[in-house]
Every structure is written in C-alpha cells, then in structure tokens.
Amino acid sequence: LNLMSDQRFWGAMRFTVYYTVIVTIAIFAAAFPLALFVERARPLTKLYRTAVFLPVVIGFGSASLLWSWLMNVDVGLFSPLAYRLGLTEKPVNLLASFDTTFWSIIIMVVWKTAGFNMMILLTGLQGISSEVQEAARMDGASAWQRFRRITLPLMRRTIALALILSIAGSVLAFDQFYIIADGGPQNSTVTAVYWIFSQSFVSFRLGYGAAMSMVLLAILVTISVVQLRLLRTPEGA
C-alpha cells in the first residue's frame, strides 16, 4: 500500500490539522487573558494562579476519563443537569454527533492545558521591564497601544515557545479522542496518532505504522522550524 495515496491517513491528518488550529486558538484565547489578569498583584492572586494551574497536574488519561464520566448521558453530570434545569427536553447524548463531541473535547483540553500556557505567558510578561511600560504610559500611550507596541513584540520568544508546545501537543493528540470518543461518532474524530495506533497495535501493520510515524515526525519538525523563523526576535531587538 502506497502511504502517500492512503486517503484514510490523510483524512486523519486533515482532522488533526483542523483540531490543532481550533484548540490552539482556544487555548491562547483563554491563557493570555488569564496571564494578564494574574500578572498584577491583587488579593487572592496566588489562589487564582493555583486554581487555573491545578488541572495541568492531572494526566491527560485521567482528565479524559473524568470528562468521559461527566459527558455520560445516564450517570454523568452535563446532560442530566441540563435536563433537570429544563435546558433540554430529554437527556442528550453529547457523544452522538460530531459537533457536540468535538467541542466538548475542545473545552476539556482548554480546561486541562490553559493553566500551563498561562504560566509560560506569565513568565514572559514578568520579564518586561515595568520602566518601559511606565515610560509609555507617561507619554500618553493607551493600554491597547502599550500591549500592541510593547508587550507583544517583547514576548515573541515566549509566544513562539508556547505555540510550539501547544501545536506539537495538539498534533500528537490521542488520549482524549481514544478514551472519550473512541474515534466516533462514525470515525469522525480519528486523529493521526489514533490512526497510527490502530494500524500498528490493532491491525499489527507495524511497518506501515512506522512509516506514518516518520511522516508525522517530518510534519512536526517542519511546523516547528517555520514557527521559529516567523516568530523569532530580530537580531538586536
């Protein structure tokens, strides 16, 4: 079988790319505001940081098992609670359609990983000299202008690191789709790693699985190199 013409593998890759784009945007949309919020000293700041970071220490397998129970239509939390609150006419199986399955997993991943990205971004924010911010404020720069002209440029290396880690983790996504959805419904949530796993250890096509792994490795290396080139800090900056 020609790997390059295997439509099932490339179908899994297309879904992986779609998932990676959506979840990376969602993670940063949650992590950046959180980092900005906990950067400043205020009452209970340490408590906020701990609460947001706490899901990070849970393994993806454990988090997926927890979410699988929460999404159970009979004994879980989400569907029965929505029914009892009158939000739905009957308990809804969240794993019965692609949209509810996909977005539920997105929410779980954001809950699980936003704290880690928040800490990375927080490190970058704390590395920016307060004197630079104060000087810009004294010159009349608005909060948005300071963020766009000072904060973002000085955080390019930090953002690059967070992006590389987030994208690499998303491309290698497996646990959540295997444990929560088992690739369903109708194999619509099969990621590249899930497909490699099924071909290697279910169908025992080890050579084929190894070839797909090398293709995935090459894609990851290419993505990382492109990101580093696009987001690197110019010399002398």
Side-chain angles (χ1 to χ4, degrees):
L1 179 64
N2 187 350
L3 175 62
M4 302 307 293
S5 64
D6 187 350
Q7 295 301 315
R8 294 171 297 179
F9 172 66
W10 293 112
M13 278 301 307
R14 283 192 294 272
F15 171 72
T16 303
V17 170
Y18 174 68
Y19 163 76
T20 299
V21 171
I22 297 298
V23 79
T24 300
I25 293 173
I27 290 171
F28 270 78
F32 220 134
L34 287 170
L36 292 170
F37 176 74
V38 301
E39 178 200 9
R40 296 181 181 179
R42 52 167 57 91
L44 302 180
T45 295
K46 292 183 179 180
L47 179 61
Y48 297 146
R49 292 179 184 176
T50 303
V52 175
F53 186 78
L54 196 58
V56 177
V57 304
I58 304 173
F60 247 115
S62 300
S64 298
L65 286 171
L66 171 62
W67 218 256
S68 181
W69 168 74
L70 291 173
M71 293 173 61
N72 188 282
V73 66
D74 297 317
V75 298
L77 176 64
F78 299 147
S79 183
L81 180 61
Y83 172 65
R84 289 168 185 166
L85 292 175
L87 301 177
T88 57
E89 296 181 355
K90 60 180 180 179
V92 178
N93 185 358
L94 297 174
L95 299 177
S97 69
F98 170 80
D99 287 338
T100 54
T101 301
F102 179 77
W103 288 107
S104 297
I105 290 176
I106 291 291
I107 293 171
M108 187 276 287
V109 174
V110 172
W111 166 78
K112 168 74 176 66
T113 61
F116 178 73
N117 286 271
M118 177 197 73
M119 296 304 295
I120 293 177
L121 296 171
L122 178 61
T123 302
L125 288 172
Q126 292 177 336
I128 299 175
S129 173
S130 59
E131 296 178 357
V132 176
Q133 296 280 13
E134 187 61 30
R137 187 182 295 108
M138 294 293 292
D139 288 339
S142 65
W144 168 247
Q145 289 174 328
R146 295 196 303 272
F147 178 76
R148 186 165 62 93
R149 299 289 187 179
I150 298 175
T151 303
L152 284 181
L154 292 178
M155 288 188 62
R156 293 187 69 171
R157 290 184 184 274
T158 306
I159 292 173
L161 173 62
L163 274 175
I164 290 172
L165 293 176
S166 180
I167 291 176
S170 301
V171 171
L172 298 175
F174 171 73
D175 301 56
Q176 57 269 42
F177 292 101
Y178 178 71
I179 295 174
I180 296 176
D182 196 19
Q186 299 179 344
N187 294 324
S188 60
T189 58
V190 174
T191 62
V193 174
Y194 191 114
W195 181 251
I196 292 172
F197 167 81
S198 66
Q199 293 300 299
S200 299
F201 302 109
V202 177
S203 300
F204 294 104
R205 302 168 66 191
L206 298 179
Y208 181 61
M212 289 190 292
S213 298
M214 295 304 298
V215 171
L216 189 60
L217 174 62
I219 292 172
L220 274 173
V221 171
T222 302
I223 291 173
S224 298
V225 170
V226 170
Q227 286 183 101
L228 286 172
R229 288 187 175 276
L230 291 176
L231 296 173
R232 67 183 177 181
T233 303
E235 293 296 328

